[in-house]
Amino acid sequence: MRTPRSTYRLQIHEGYTLTDATAQLEYLAQLGVDWIYLSPILTAEKGSTHGYDVTDPTTVDESRGGAEALAALATAAHDAGMGVLVDIVPNHQGVATPADNPWWWSVLAEGQASPYARAFDIDWAANSGRILLPVLGSADDVDQLELVDGQLAYYDHRFPVAAGTADDGADAATVHGRQHYELADWRRGDAELNYRRFFSVSTLAGVRVEDAEVFDASHAEIRRWVDEGLVDGLRIDHPDGLRDPAGYLDDLADATGGVYVLVEKILEPGERLPSGWATAGTTGYDALADVDRLFTDPVGETGLDAVTGAVDWAELIHGTKRDFADRTLLAETLRLTRELPADAGLDPALAQDAMAELLACFPVYRSYLPEDGAAHLHEAAHLAVDHRPDLADAVDVLVGLLEDESQPVARRFQQTSGMVMAKGVEDTAFYRYTRLTSLTEVGADPSIFSVGVDAFHAKMAERAQAWPLAMNALTTHDTKRSEDTRARISVLSELPDRWARTFAQLQELAPIPDAPVANLVWQATVGAWPISRERLTDYALKAAREAGTSTTWTDQDKDFEAALTAAVDAVHDRREVTRVIEDLVGAIEGPGYRNALAAKLIQLTIPGVPDVYQGTEFWDFSLVDPDNRRPVDYASRTTALAELEFDPQPEIGPVGVAKLHVVRAALHARRDRPELFAGYRPLSVSGPAAGHVVAFDRGGDRPGAVTVATRLPVGLAARGGLGETVLSLAVPTVDALTGREVAAGQVRVADIVGDLGVALLLPTGGDHA
């Protein structure tokens, strides 16, 4: 199996096609990238910029370049010695435009008689056997339907008409009543939807890849990529939505001959990826969380809590998850209760209540019976009974069924718990728990404030042993903030009092009448500064609606949103507000740069396969999507990379050439000297500032690449620098960043890291000459 030494993620869409990506291969090769990593490229909804809404799994999207462009890209990449990793989406398909999805169109037209009826996870026993489509503005809008060219039309939406159902000249409303689907008020979807969806997105319908015929049909094109040598590896989107993730991965391995595979799996603290899965590991959210917390000062936790008041994280997420199980995802909760066996002996309302409580208390995204037993389910049951003693008997009955993998409800519960977790935590609680927003990141638990050097070393040693080929991410298309934005915000953990004063000043000058949302928005402002009015307004509105405390997507509070946008306007229009922002940014910008360089070097050199998200080889101060999917200026990066040949030791500055320098050096070392990255050994650091240094040797049986990085830069500067802090090197090395030779033995860290605060030392003699 061919495996990557690094990857570079590219977002492919009609504005940046496979052909455009091919044009960047020379630059990426010079940067040191080993594999390119593509977002989904199968045919998706027209205009989709992300590709996770696949409408035809049998073709490469023409708007993204099509099959010929993929072949050209693969040839060019392989000729340059690079591999190709592609993101695929087995869990769901896009159905927003039924006519563009031939499988979905067939099911709507023919119902259970459709050859594709088994492809989608539809509960045909519900809603009188009709698929509920929540697309109408109100129930009365059935009267707005028209028959146009033999189809039902609702404004610009088109739906098929079953054969023979409109032959008698009946009006559109009557014809609609004869279809295999029901067009319904969009508000009914959350409670009555009768097909599995992706999270709460009704326009993404769940696919039954556990069915062998469905798997084969939905993976034929992917198999062709592998068989023809176009693609070398696959990234699996959202495996937790699948009926049987382990079985799916086995099927995929059989279909592709066992190519390199990564899974987008979120691990909660202490959770382990099932060891029997046919995968090289996760897409790296877990590594991201550990790296971030190295740069968070535990001393700041109490002070930051005081800004808006301490929040009990466990209670917060219990409430948000329970709310989703009862409301937005009620259709999923009800489907679980419908799948209980008839002899369960539970009143439907009681069963629903107990099921929702179990979902709210589930401690991880999902379990994987029988691989990991039922420990998580029993933990959830214990928590549920603690919250609701009145449900003890019902919970006991449910647990008996849910731990029996032969029960259909047991498998569906495993598919559903992750939906509740994702919506309740990532998409809601992360916007309410705002004491230090660099920690509210996908795949992370923000109640864990920091990770010390020793704990970090222990995690990386385990990673080297268990998952040496898993991905290491720092920014992705899904991160709530880019790595550099988080690195700057993390500085606030060293300056909690300064942040408290700044927050109070901003709230006095431009108040946002919801303290946690205000904390979120003001931290985003300083983290991404300078940021345009439009970008910040879009972010603030999205964040506030996701939080759902003062306004929501479906019930927008005009007064609150007016106050929110007025605060954003004040940042740009009122000098006294701008000055408060700029004064703080002036204090944290430099330390933020140092955090970012250190975090990047560590991410690129720890065990695993490092990924660089498009454009982040320069500073990138992005916020949540779509902000983090803006076009990348590759011309300036290509020019800067060429200029590094003439100025190989750039200073830290606003463009980010210093970061480009670090990325290039690390990627070249990973690609060109892989033998130096075969293990993991912490290096002992001693002296007055030892706690401000992270150092490790990546060699296996022999000395390898040594990473040295400084941390907590505000505190380090306050103590006067590194002083006589030292570490010991086993062999002579050369710093890949400066070309400086470093002798073996005890060396001063200050002499190694220089102005950038980091060093990458490569052996120059002996076994690794």
Side-chain angles (χ1 to χ4, degrees), residues 298-504:
V299 174
E301 183 172 7
T302 301
L304 292 177
D305 265 339
V307 173
T308 59
V311 176
D312 186 315
W313 173 247
E315 280 300 306
L316 172 62
I317 64 172
H318 173 269
T320 55
K321 289 168 67 179
R322 178 68 206 233
D323 188 59
F324 273 94
D326 287 336
R327 296 176 185 273
T328 308
L329 297 174
L330 177 58
E332 283 68 26
T333 305
L334 291 173
R335 187 167 181 183
L336 285 170
T337 61
R338 289 198 299 271
E339 290 201 2
L340 293 173
D343 60 358
L346 293 177
D347 172 78
L350 179 63
Q352 175 192 331
D353 193 5
M355 192 74 76
E357 191 63 32
L358 278 173
L359 289 167
C361 292
F362 212 76
V364 295
Y365 271 70
R366 65 167 283 171
S367 56
Y368 307 95
L369 296 175
E371 299 101 304
D372 65 352
H376 296 311
L377 179 60
H378 286 282
E379 181 180 350
H382 177 75
L383 292 171
V385 172
D386 277 352
H387 275 278
R388 292 285 304 280
D390 58 308
L391 295 177
D393 291 342
V395 166
D396 188 56
V397 172
L398 290 181
V399 168
L401 295 167
L402 297 177
E403 65 183 348
D404 180 357
E405 62 169 324
S406 68
Q407 293 283 349
V409 69
R411 287 291 187 182
R412 186 164 301 282
F413 183 88
Q414 293 174 74
Q415 289 178 281
T416 305
S417 59
M419 301 167 72
V420 175
M421 176 75 87
K423 293 303 299 179
V425 178
E426 289 177 39
D427 291 349
T428 305
F430 275 9
Y431 292 90
R432 298 182 185 181
Y433 192 81
T434 65
R435 65 177 178 187
L436 186 64
T437 56
S438 56
L439 302 182
T440 48
E441 194 48 79
V442 59
D445 182 333
S447 69
I448 298 176
F449 193 78
S450 63
V451 170
V453 175
D454 290 343
F456 181 79
H457 284 320
K459 288 173 177 285
M460 293 306 106
E462 180 182 354
R463 192 173 187 83
Q465 182 67 32
W467 299 103
L469 294 174
M471 182 174 278
N472 301 330
L474 209 55
T475 298
T476 77
H477 62 285
D478 276 335
T479 41
K480 305 296 186 185
R481 297 155 201 84
S482 66
E483 58 203 54
D484 300 326
T485 302
R486 299 197 310 275
R488 185 187 289 176
I489 292 172
S490 290
V491 178
L492 301 180
S493 70
E494 297 194 76
L495 298 167
D497 294 340
R498 176 72 182 269
W499 175 246
R501 292 195 300 272
T502 298
F503 178 78

Side-chain angles (χ1 to χ4, degrees), residues 9-11 13 49-50 285 431 441-442 474-483 485-486 531 535 538-539 542 613-616 620-632 634:
R9 169 81 176 203
L10 292 167
Q11 295 295 115
H13 49 84
T49 59
H50 52 77
Y285 301 147
Y431 292 90
E441 194 48 79
V442 59
L474 209 55
T475 298
T476 77
H477 62 285
D478 276 335
T479 41
K480 305 296 186 185
R481 297 155 201 84
S482 66
E483 58 203 54
T485 302
R486 299 197 310 275
I531 182 172
R535 286 177 58 208
D538 289 348
Y539 172 77
K542 176 173 180 172
Y613 182 70
Q614 59 175 32
T616 58
D620 182 278
F621 296 97
S622 296
L623 298 170
V624 73
D625 68 276
D627 194 60
N628 60 9
R629 302 176 190 178
R630 288 170 293 141
V632 177
Y634 280 110

Side-chain angles (χ1 to χ4, degrees), residues 593-612:
Y593 286 152
R594 292 185 176 278
N595 274 352
L597 290 178
K600 196 63 187 174
L601 181 60
I602 289 171
Q603 178 242 346
L604 293 172
T605 58
I606 55 176
V609 176
D611 176 59
V612 177

Side-chain angles (χ1 to χ4, degrees), residues 563-622:
L564 185 59
T565 55
V568 172
D569 287 340
V571 171
H572 296 89
D573 296 338
R574 293 169 52 194
R575 183 57 197 161
E576 66 271 28
V577 181
T578 309
R579 186 180 297 111
V580 173
I581 297 293
E582 291 180 341
D583 284 351
L584 181 64
V585 172
I588 67 175
E589 183 177 52
Y593 286 152
R594 292 185 176 278
N595 274 352
L597 290 178
K600 196 63 187 174
L601 181 60
I602 289 171
Q603 178 242 346
L604 293 172
T605 58
I606 55 176
V609 176
D611 176 59
V612 177
Y613 182 70
Q614 59 175 32
T616 58
E617 62 270 30
F618 268 14
W619 301 133
D620 182 278
F621 296 97
S622 296

Side-chain angles (χ1 to χ4, degrees), residues 114-169:
S114 166
Y116 297 105
R118 64 195 301 172
F120 298 100
D121 192 352
I122 300 166
D123 184 1
W124 292 102
N127 200 45
S128 302
R130 303 173 73 194
I131 303 171
L132 187 91
L133 300 181
V135 298
L136 302 182
S138 71
D140 293 339
D141 278 5
V142 170
D143 295 333
Q144 302 298 316
L145 298 178
E146 297 179 299
L147 285 166
V148 178
D149 297 330
Q151 299 172 3
L152 277 172
Y154 176 65
Y155 295 100
D156 292 334
H157 301 279
R158 295 293 183 270
F159 304 91
V161 170
T165 60
D167 294 347
D168 61 355

Side-chain angles (χ1 to χ4, degrees), residues 1 3 259-263 273 277-282 466-471:
M1 177 178 68
T3 59
V259 297
Y260 179 77
V261 166
L262 294 169
V263 290
L273 190 67
W277 281 13
T279 179
T282 73
W467 299 103
L469 294 174
M471 182 174 278

